Amino acid sequence: MVNFGKKLMADQIPEWKGYYINYKLMKKKVKQYGQQLQQGEKDRRRVLKDFSKMLDDQIEKIVLFLLEQQGMLASRIEKLAKQRAILQEQPDISGIAELREAYREVGLDLIKLLKFVDLNATGIRKILKKFDKRFGYRFTDYYVTSRSNHPYSQLQQVFKHVGVGAVVGALSRNLAELQERQGSYLSIYDQPSSALKDPIIDMINSSVDKLTRSTNFLRFLGQHALIVDEESPSTAGEEEIEDQKYHFMSLMLNLVNTFLYMVNTYIIVPTADDYSVSLGAASTVCGVVIGSMAVAQIFSSVYFSAWSNKSYFKPLIFSSIVLFLGNVCYAIAYDMKSLTVLIIGRLLCGMGSARAVNRRYISDCVPARIRMQASAGFVSASALGMACGPALAGLLQWKFKIYMVTFNQATLPGWVMAVAWLLYLVWLSFSFKEPNRATEVNDATQNPASGQRVDIGQLENGLARPLLTDSENKQNGDEDEEIDDSEEAAEDSRKPATSIGSAYRLLTPSVKVQLLIYFMLKYAMEILLSESSVITNHYFSWNTSAVAIFLAILGLTVLPVNAVVGTYISNMFEDRQLLMVSQITLLVGIIFSFKVTSTYSVVQYVASALITFVSAEVLEGVNLSLLSSVMSSRLSRGTYNGGLLSTEAGTLARVVADCTITAAGYLGVGKLLNITLLPSLVICATSITCTFLTYNSLF
């Protein structure tokens, strides 16, 4: 791997050479400033002023050239529009074909311009980060805030590509309308879903989607899964390797595993308090019963993630067996009159959590062209399982005995899930296909040389990464052997983290804040869900069916809320804006949940629960979407990956929340609500403060 400076030189378009950021010069200036500060030749104030002016000059050079090229493209499109108007009056097949090729040439030049913006935006981000790390300043915060918020901001031209959208729209519309549609000249605005797309349009749309970081419901759901796309395959050979690893039925088995596990997690929530009481414990011990599964999951996530480096089939088999045994233990604890057996059963269920394997299979074995759909399927399966668990518990209201084995609302969830996992185990044994590991090794060791000629394949590959995020692999320093703390030697620059410690060192302050936010929202959600049966029984005398319906309704809000946020809201506001607003809304929901008067109404509880849960769902989607973009690419592979870190943060939050419920229960059920809400309030306020302090680095 070459460093960014060499990559910038290699990927430059020769005729545009003088308009790129002078990254080499700026790196030398940063080093020179360091020497001058040490020798006392300049003070910090002077260094900041000089560096700001130099960076302003570089950005101005880039922006003026960008505007010039946009104008040239617009002028070419305008001339072609006149030719198209003539052809509409006097249709000529050869003329239409020539015009279409002319539009395609404009499209290729537009993609070259987008790649120009990509390289310069990455260079700006890297040099700002290098400056901060060299001098220990928060210069990036100051620079971005002062430049981005200015009415004449040139930085916005680079990062928001003002004006490019109009060129993209005009080009896409004209190319689409030139497609052969049986003589029809309907506009894409009339039939947007049925319009045939030119390959160039797909390339442009993909490029602009990355540049603007605009999203849709599918992509928003996919980013929920925190399955990071490093880069798309750029050659037919790489696509063939991916196809060899992909097996549709194996993917379905992973998604079903995800669904069943989430059902298994939440199916006991409506009845856990009654089950605890029937075994002679307090109703608030339901916190320990529910949370014991999360305790085991903290450890199981690590060994399943490590196991998936060698196999996918064996860990899934092991998971199914352990979950079968765990549910049997959970069910027979009633007749054994043993709370210990009950908790052991839930611990075994947590030890069978194969979500790390499910994520890893999608990341490693699903072709890039459908990976986003598979990731969205992973999130949808989780959401559906979360809703179906309590709903299923509400239906299991029978009571009977078979050979001294009791079947009632407390034990039936265990028996039903045991049968489900047994059937899944049989299906898995016959239908799963282990991917060929040899293809993964070959794929990982390929190092294709990059050519100098700019063609469609290279342009597509160059634009496959987010343009506005620092997702480049950590690389060497420059020719002066200056090495940042965040950059490793070339041989290590793409290696995954090998321990929790090395993974932690890859986390920037903004990523740490986002993991704190994830911990906070999972804590708030777990408090709400796990104590719902106790709280509603104490204040409203709800039965199991009522609690099950309430929890199922909450679970069913997940997909609609994500649809609205992913399709509309996320395209209107920046992720960091949504991040802040959703945290504040969550804080409002928590405050509204407190019992501050002598009476506590159903309306107050249900309304506050909806505000809290929906806000947490929005926050989770936005947070993981942003996290998947800014997290180091080294955390997208290996055992200690980004998905594992987020899972551990969320699981730890659930454990702490469930323990809080049980501990607070010793003070009485009447005080349970307010006591368990206090930590949620404090953690939420802390996360909002941390988000505010790192706000300018969340882009």
Side-chain angles (χ1 to χ4, degrees):
M1 289 293 295
V2 296
N3 60 39
F4 177 74
K6 292 180 180 179
K7 173 180 170 57
L8 178 63
M9 295 297 295
D11 291 349
Q12 283 181 2
I13 298 170
E15 57 267 29
W16 295 355
K17 185 176 180 180
Y19 302 101
Y20 287 88
I21 183 174
N22 196 333
Y23 187 71
K24 182 178 179 180
L25 171 65
M26 298 197 74
K27 286 182 70 175
K28 288 184 176 180
K29 279 290 185 181
V30 170
K31 184 177 181 180
Q32 185 180 357
Y33 289 147
Q35 295 172 347
Q36 291 173 341
L37 280 175
Q38 289 178 353
Q39 297 170 5
E41 297 177 9
K42 285 187 177 181
D43 59 17
R44 293 194 173 195
R45 189 184 186 92
R46 183 67 182 179
V47 167
L48 290 173
K49 183 177 180 180
D50 289 352
F51 185 73
S52 297
K53 184 179 183 304
M54 183 172 62
L55 190 54
D56 286 340
D57 291 340
Q58 291 290 317
I59 292 175
E60 182 177 89
K61 173 185 67 175
I62 295 166
V63 168
L64 292 177
F65 179 74
L66 175 62
L67 294 174
E68 178 187 0
Q69 292 299 312
Q70 289 177 10
M72 292 172 62
L73 290 174
S75 178
R76 289 168 62 185
I77 292 174
E78 184 180 6
K79 291 178 181 179
L80 293 175
K82 294 178 180 178
Q83 297 180 29
R84 186 171 64 86
I86 296 173
L87 286 172
Q88 284 181 332
E89 295 178 1
Q90 299 177 353
D92 177 61
I93 296 178
S94 61
I96 292 175
E98 292 176 2
L99 186 60
R100 189 181 300 120
E101 288 302 317
Y103 273 115
R104 285 173 178 163
E105 290 179 8
V106 176
L108 288 175
D109 287 340
L110 174 59
I111 295 173
K112 288 165 60 178
L113 185 61
L114 293 174
K115 187 178 181 183
F116 170 83
V117 179
D118 171 17
L119 287 171
N120 283 293
T122 303
I124 293 170
R125 289 181 60 92
K126 280 183 172 289
I127 203 65
L128 284 169
K129 178 177 287 188
K130 187 176 293 292
F131 187 87
D132 280 354
K133 287 187 176 292
R134 180 84 180 192
F135 301 108
Y137 295 160
R138 293 176 59 86
F139 177 73
T140 298
D141 288 0
Y142 156 74
Y143 190 83
V144 172
T145 302
S146 60
R147 269 59 175 177
S148 295
N149 295 332
H150 197 277
Y152 304 129
S153 172
Q154 292 181 331
L155 188 65
Q156 289 281 24
Q157 293 278 355
V158 178
F159 285 106
K160 296 298 183 182
H161 61 89
V162 180
V164 171
V167 178
V168 173
L171 186 62
S172 299
R173 181 180 66 84
N174 285 288
L175 262 175
E177 291 184 358
L178 282 173
Q179 296 298 304
E180 295 179 359
R181 291 190 290 271
Q182 298 177 348
S184 171
Y185 284 91
L186 287 176
S187 168
I188 59 171
Y189 303 124
D190 299 320
Q191 294 180 320
S193 61
S194 61
L196 299 176
K197 286 188 178 181
D198 190 288
I200 295 295
I201 296 178
D202 288 331
M203 292 172 58
I204 293 172
N205 289 339
S206 176
S207 304
V208 173
D209 182 58
K210 292 293 183 182
L211 183 60
T212 59
R213 295 181 68 236
S214 63
T215 185
N216 53 30
F217 180 40
L218 186 65
R219 182 170 297 278
F220 191 77
L221 280 182
Q223 289 172 324
H224 250 73
L226 202 59
I227 297 170
V228 182
D229 270 337
E230 295 180 72
E231 57 183 55
S232 300
S234 58
T235 67
E238 291 176 16
E239 290 180 352
E240 183 179 351
I241 289 173
E242 284 195 335
D243 288 338
Q244 290 175 5
K245 293 189 290 184
Y246 174 60
H247 182 238
F248 174 75
M249 188 57 68
S250 299
L251 172 61
M252 289 302 301
L253 283 162
N254 274 279
L255 296 180
V256 171
N257 182 282
T258 298
F259 169 77
L260 288 178
Y261 186 79
M262 293 303 290
V263 172
N264 210 148
T265 300
Y266 289 98
I267 194 172
I268 72 158
V269 172
T271 58
D273 57 334
D274 290 339
Y275 205 163
S276 301
V277 171
S278 68
L279 296 180
S283 61
T284 52
V285 175
C286 68
V288 172
V289 176
I290 297 171
S292 56
M293 189 171 179
V295 171
Q297 190 179 341
I298 292 177
F299 304 98
S300 67
S301 296
V302 177
Y303 70 71
F304 271 118
S305 183
W307 201 350
S308 64
N309 290 325
K310 299 179 180 180
S311 173
Y312 301 103
F313 178 65
K314 291 179 181 178
L316 289 176
I317 288 288
F318 176 79
S319 166
S320 304
I321 294 173
V322 171
L323 281 159
F324 168 76
L325 295 175
N327 281 288
V328 170
C329 288
Y330 182 85
I332 63 175
Y334 186 89
D335 292 306
M336 295 179 67
K337 302 295 182 182
S338 173
L339 182 63
T340 301
V341 174
L342 181 72
I343 294 176
I344 289 175
R346 289 296 285 179
L347 285 170
L348 284 173
C349 289
M351 295 300 290
S353 172
R355 287 172 65 81
V357 180
N358 306 145
R359 272 198 185 99
R360 187 70 178 274
Y361 184 88
I362 294 173
S363 177
D364 292 351
C365 302
V366 176
R369 64 179 183 274
I370 60 170
R371 191 172 299 146
M372 189 56 71
Q373 290 92 322
S375 302
F378 175 86
V379 175
S380 299
S382 299
L384 189 60
M386 183 179 180
C388 288
L392 186 58
L395 297 175
L396 301 176
Q397 298 299 303
W398 307 306
K399 185 175 182 179
F400 56 92
K401 278 192 174 185
I402 300 179
Y403 297 109
M404 305 301 294
V405 177
T406 303
F407 295 85
N408 57 25
Q409 66 176 14
T411 63
L412 276 172
W415 291 119
V416 168
M417 292 311 304
V419 172
W421 284 114
L422 186 61
L423 294 175
Y424 174 81
L425 179 62
V426 174
W427 181 21
L428 179 70
S429 302
F430 287 101
S431 302
F432 191 88
K433 179 182 178 182
E434 185 76 77
N436 185 357
R437 290 280 169 171
T439 60
E440 293 186 36
V441 174
N442 293 336
D443 188 26
T445 56
Q446 285 183 359
N447 186 22
S450 59
Q452 295 297 318
R453 184 174 63 89
V454 179
D455 58 20
I456 294 177
Q458 290 171 320
L459 289 170
E460 251 188 315
N461 185 44
L463 290 159
R465 301 180 298 276
L467 302 186
L468 305 188
T469 59
D470 190 17
S471 60
E472 297 291 327
N473 295 317
K474 308 302 181 186
Q475 301 165 349
N476 289 5
D478 58 10
E479 292 78 3
D480 296 320
E481 297 184 354
E482 175 190 352
I483 302 178
D484 286 347
D485 294 337
S486 63
E487 296 174 332
E488 283 70 33
E491 62 187 27
D492 296 328
S493 62
R494 289 183 61 84
K495 289 183 178 180
T498 55
S499 66
I500 290 289
S502 62
Y504 182 81
R505 287 192 292 271
L506 291 173
L507 303 181
T508 62
S510 59
V511 173
K512 292 175 184 177
V513 170
Q514 288 172 273
L515 289 175
L516 171 64
I517 293 172
Y518 194 65
F519 176 93
M520 179 271 293
L521 69 92
K522 285 297 183 183
Y523 181 92
M525 290 176 68
E526 189 71 10
I527 288 291
L528 170 64
L529 298 175
S530 294
E531 70 179 14
S532 59
S533 58
V534 178
I535 295 298
T536 54
N537 179 265
H538 177 73
Y539 289 109
F540 318 127
S541 300
W542 284 7
N543 58 23
T544 300
S545 296
V547 177
I549 293 172
F550 170 68
L551 294 178
I553 290 174
L554 286 181
L556 289 174
T557 63
V558 174
L559 291 180
V561 167
N562 282 317
V564 173
V565 175
T567 305
Y568 302 107
I569 298 179
S570 62
N571 287 324
M572 299 167 61
F573 302 98
E574 295 180 5
D575 282 349
R576 58 181 181 173
Q577 293 174 327
L578 294 175
L579 196 72
M580 182 63 82
V581 171
S582 54
Q583 285 183 86
I584 294 173
T585 308
L586 178 58
L587 182 64
V588 171
I590 293 172
I591 294 174
F592 191 39
S593 300
F594 277 90
K595 180 181 181 294
V596 293
T597 61
S598 58
T599 59
Y600 194 62
S601 67
V602 174
V603 173
Q604 180 183 349
Y605 178 76
V606 172
S608 60
L610 281 172
I611 294 173
T612 301
F613 190 82
V614 170
S615 299
E617 277 301 317
V618 173
L619 182 59
E620 181 177 7
V622 174
N623 189 52
L624 291 184
S625 173
L626 191 57
L627 193 60
S628 67
S629 299
V630 301
M631 188 174 281
S632 169
S633 62
R634 291 180 61 191
L635 291 174
S636 66
R637 306 179 303 279
T639 301
Y640 302 96
N641 53 65
L644 175 64
L645 293 179
S646 63
T647 298
E648 293 291 87
T651 305
L652 182 61
R654 291 172 53 203
V655 171
V656 175
D658 290 323
C659 290
T660 302
I661 293 172
T662 300
Y666 288 104
L667 300 177
V669 177
K671 297 180 179 179
L672 178 65
L673 180 65
N674 286 352
I675 291 175
T676 54
L677 286 175
L678 276 175
S680 298
L681 182 66
V682 173
I683 300 172
C684 187
T686 302
S687 71
I688 291 174
T689 303
C690 293
T691 303
F692 178 78
L693 294 175
T694 59
Y695 186 78
N696 291 319
S697 62
L698 297 173
F699 66 98

